[in-house]
Amino acid sequence: MSVVRCSKRYALFLTALMAMSTASFAVSMDTVVGFDNTIKAGAWIPIAVTLTNDDAQDVEGVLVAKLMDPSVTVPLCTTRVNLPANSKKLYHIYTKMSGYGGAVSVTFSAPGWPSQVKTINTTSADMNDRLVVSVGKRSSRLGFLSGEKVPAFPGVMRYNQPNSWTAGSSTTPSPEAQVFTSSISTEAMPDRPAGYETVDVMVLSDFSPHSVRPAVLRSIATWVASGGVLIISAGADYKMLQNSFYSDLLPVKLTGTASLPGMASLSALGKEPFPSGAVSIAKSTIKPRIGSAMLTQNGVPIVAKRSYGAGKVIFVAFDSQSQPFRGWNGQTEFWKYLIKTQPEQTFVPTAAGCLSENGGYYGAPGTKAPMSDVVRQDSSVKMPGISTIGLFMLAYLVVLVPVNYMVLKRKRRLEMAWVTTPVIVVAFTLGAYAIGSTMKGGKLSFYEATIVEGSSNARYARMITDASLFSPAKRNYDVKVIDSTALCQVIPSRDDSEPSIAYLNDAPTIEQVPMSMWSTKEFESVGGMDLGGVVKSELITDGYRIQGKITNNTAFQLCDCWVVFRGSSVSLGNLPVGASAMVDMTRGASHGQPAGSQPNPPYIKPGTLSYGLKTHAQYLASQAKTPVLVGSMPGGNMFGTTGNNATVKSARMCLIRLDIGR
């Protein structure tokens, strides 16, 4: 009877276990890749994952994304999930894609529960194409632009793209770019600037800054500074635009509302007559030395623009989602006119970071981080000279045989040779290892270089850091990133078979990075920076001479400053907070240290980090179309290791594009 009872209990246990294993997961998952599942290869791609927990208990787990193509290794930024009982949360994770995109698999794993897996097919836009993302409740109304053609931009690169052309070249692979349209709700907007890398144009038509987290607003502003084009549509409800977010970005100052009898001036842009009748607009004035009018009606700006970092901000005075504009036959051409606005090239592109199974890389300009030459640490084997090896071996033989024998004989203890001989061998072995460590380096060390890219009269700037880590031993490291807004990655090498995974919960941390003895790995973080104010530019030019004043109204002292313009440069010295400096320079003339206007980036000698970054920054500034303020900035380390005392050498430079009048 007892055997029967045990058998019944075991059967019941197995039945219960099978029921648990086949029970449906209490957490459901809704996933969107990129923007409406549209992506661009080589850039950071946001993946919005909405998790709903219908269970009565809390669930903790991890979200992970991966490409369905197993032949490609890509970086991943993921997150740990803490989902309370009966709750719903939105999480963002990030990855990159290579080639022409493909499918993405997103998995949520929690201990004690079966994994949830969603596979999403993506639409991949070409590097030249224009991805237009509209935000807000009426965001889907730009779908009619999908498939339209606009001119492709020569040499504009915000990130290293697959099969990319040389930055700055006069030709592109295709004379036309296709327009892709998508939308996003305010709730799903990423809160990290690099999460918008795939977006070329963003349209805000009924967007209230109070509807999103402050981190989202900072990310949008930083994305513009990174080369994005932001279109802001107003209308009669102009008060929604009267806040610090819009006032920092807009090229105009809003003064009220106005009713125009018509907007016939739009007919030229839309190539169709604009409907007659009154139109309500937001009345404004152009911000002096910041904005410029693209279109006016009765002296009132209808369309205005400004530069913001490497990007552009376009102000539209009317409501682009309402009548009579919505019924106008020329709205397609009007939007194409705005969409083809060309931003500037960023000074430092984002590394692609995709590695194929045959060791090839997707992305230009090469197989390393953009500032590799600046942060490089020489990990090559330095062989000692023949004379050094000969002297070491001679000393070993002399000490081991004659010296050892003579000392023991004098002490009449020759029988101790069995002790002294291995001691001498061990001592010389340790000496050889010490010499090798000295030549190779015996300290865990980071070299990192940071470039802050902004413009005058712009509060937010893009910040990119490239770093190299030297390991004296074979070990795994947890690498942390100080910038809480950043997305980070290991630049993959041919030795990497697994993707690097960064966890984003509190601060980005790339866990368990494997390194061989006396090896280096390169890292990159892309984020943003609030300058705490703006650099004010009051420069004017007659085409040959540049004169005026620059004022540092940021929260940071700028040291060893230069104004660089093509082959010209002038030293300004230090610019403390609130200080001003006068500029008087002519084209082709340098006052003090040359600006580094050589046709190719200079080779940076390893070990001279600050000088190397300064030289590199001056070279980058000399390639810009406008004068650039170059100066070093204070700032702590961006990278570090958890549980290991790494020596960190860092340098930080800012490059501020300067507005210039005539």
Side-chain angles (χ1 to χ4, degrees), residues 332-656:
T332 298
E333 291 299 323
F334 173 80
W335 280 113
K336 289 171 62 176
Y337 172 77
L338 299 186
I339 291 170
K340 69 182 182 181
T341 300
Q342 181 172 354
E344 300 293 332
Q345 178 181 324
T346 57
F347 289 117
V348 181
T350 301
C354 299
L355 181 65
S356 69
E357 63 180 356
N358 60 6
Y361 287 77
Y362 294 94
T367 61
K368 53 190 179 181
M371 291 186 286
S372 253
D373 288 341
V374 178
V375 300
R376 180 185 296 124
Q377 299 184 70
D378 190 358
S379 61
S380 60
V381 176
K382 300 184 181 72
M383 295 299 294
I386 298 297
S387 59
T388 302
I389 295 175
L391 289 173
F392 185 84
M393 293 301 297
L394 179 61
Y396 172 68
L397 293 174
V398 168
V399 173
L400 182 64
V401 182
V403 173
N404 187 25
Y405 174 78
M406 291 175 62
V407 171
L408 292 177
K409 183 178 180 181
R410 179 174 296 179
K411 293 182 176 293
R412 299 179 180 179
R413 299 293 300 274
L414 290 176
E415 70 278 5
M416 294 297 295
W418 67 274
V419 175
T420 57
T421 298
V423 169
I424 292 171
V425 171
V426 171
F428 271 85
T429 301
L430 293 175
Y433 181 82
I435 292 172
S437 295
T438 301
M439 289 184 166
K440 291 290 299 180
K443 293 184 178 181
L444 184 68
S445 59
F446 258 118
Y447 278 14
E448 61 176 46
T450 299
I451 292 287
V452 177
E453 304 184 28
S455 65
S456 55
N457 301 301
R459 182 185 180 107
Y460 291 93
R462 177 176 183 257
M463 182 165 62
I464 182 168
T465 300
D466 287 338
S468 68
L469 176 64
F470 171 80
S471 174
K474 184 177 181 180
R475 190 173 299 171
N476 291 351
Y477 299 97
D478 290 343
V479 177
K480 59 183 179 180
V481 181
I482 307 303
D483 183 5
S484 60
T485 71
L487 294 179
C488 56
Q489 66 172 324
V490 179
I491 306 300
S493 67
R494 290 171 176 82
D495 297 329
D496 296 330
S497 58
E498 296 294 332
S500 62
I501 300 179
Y503 292 90
L504 303 176
N505 295 74
D506 297 324
T509 302
I510 307 174
E511 296 187 355
Q512 295 297 296
V513 178
M515 295 191 67
S516 302
M517 186 176 182
W518 292 333
S519 66
T520 62
K521 277 190 180 292
E522 293 180 343
F523 299 80
E524 181 175 88
S525 75
V526 183
M529 186 176 187
D530 182 355
L531 298 177
V534 301
V535 172
K536 186 178 180 181
S537 172
E538 300 176 84
L539 300 181
I540 59 172
T541 182
D542 58 5
Y544 174 74
R545 190 174 185 180
I546 299 173
Q547 293 177 294
K549 183 171 67 172
I550 297 173
T551 304
N552 177 18
N553 288 331
T554 71
F556 301 92
Q557 174 172 314
L558 305 179
C559 301
D560 190 18
C561 297
W562 293 76
V563 173
V564 177
F565 185 46
R566 305 292 173 86
S568 306
S569 64
V570 60
S571 175
L572 303 182
N574 296 336
L575 274 177
V577 176
S580 299
M582 301 303 298
V583 176
D584 191 348
M585 61 189 298
T586 55
R587 290 195 178 197
S590 295
H591 306 276
Q593 181 177 326
S597 57
Q598 54 268 47
N600 297 308
Y603 171 73
I604 307 301
K605 182 179 179 181
T608 56
L609 185 61
S610 297
Y611 174 78
L613 183 58
K614 175 183 175 181
T615 304
H616 192 66
Q618 288 183 329
Y619 163 76
L620 295 173
S622 69
Q623 310 303 302
K625 297 179 181 179
T626 60
V628 178
L629 174 66
V630 180
S632 63
M633 294 183 69
N637 304 329
M638 292 296 297
F639 283 93
T641 54
T642 302
N644 298 277
N645 294 322
T647 300
V648 182
K649 294 183 179 180
S650 61
R652 181 177 297 189
M653 299 290 295
C654 72
L655 288 87
I656 305 294

Side-chain angles (χ1 to χ4, degrees), residues 269-353:
L269 300 184
K271 301 178 182 180
E272 292 285 345
F274 193 81
S276 59
V279 180
S280 297
I281 65 166
K283 192 175 181 180
S284 64
T285 58
I286 299 293
K287 291 180 180 177
R289 308 186 63 85
I290 296 178
S292 61
M294 301 171 66
L295 185 70
T296 60
Q297 179 87 29
N298 300 336
V300 178
I302 301 300
V303 182
K305 68 177 181 179
R306 65 163 295 184
S307 297
Y308 194 99
K312 306 287 184 182
V313 180
I314 299 175
F315 168 74
V316 178
F318 54 89
D319 184 357
S320 62
Q321 300 297 321
S322 299
Q323 298 294 350
F325 183 82
R326 287 290 300 175
W328 178 36
N329 292 332
Q331 63 173 318
T332 298
E333 291 299 323
F334 173 80
W335 280 113
K336 289 171 62 176
Y337 172 77
L338 299 186
I339 291 170
K340 69 182 182 181
T341 300
Q342 181 172 354
E344 300 293 332
Q345 178 181 324
T346 57
F347 289 117
V348 181
T350 301

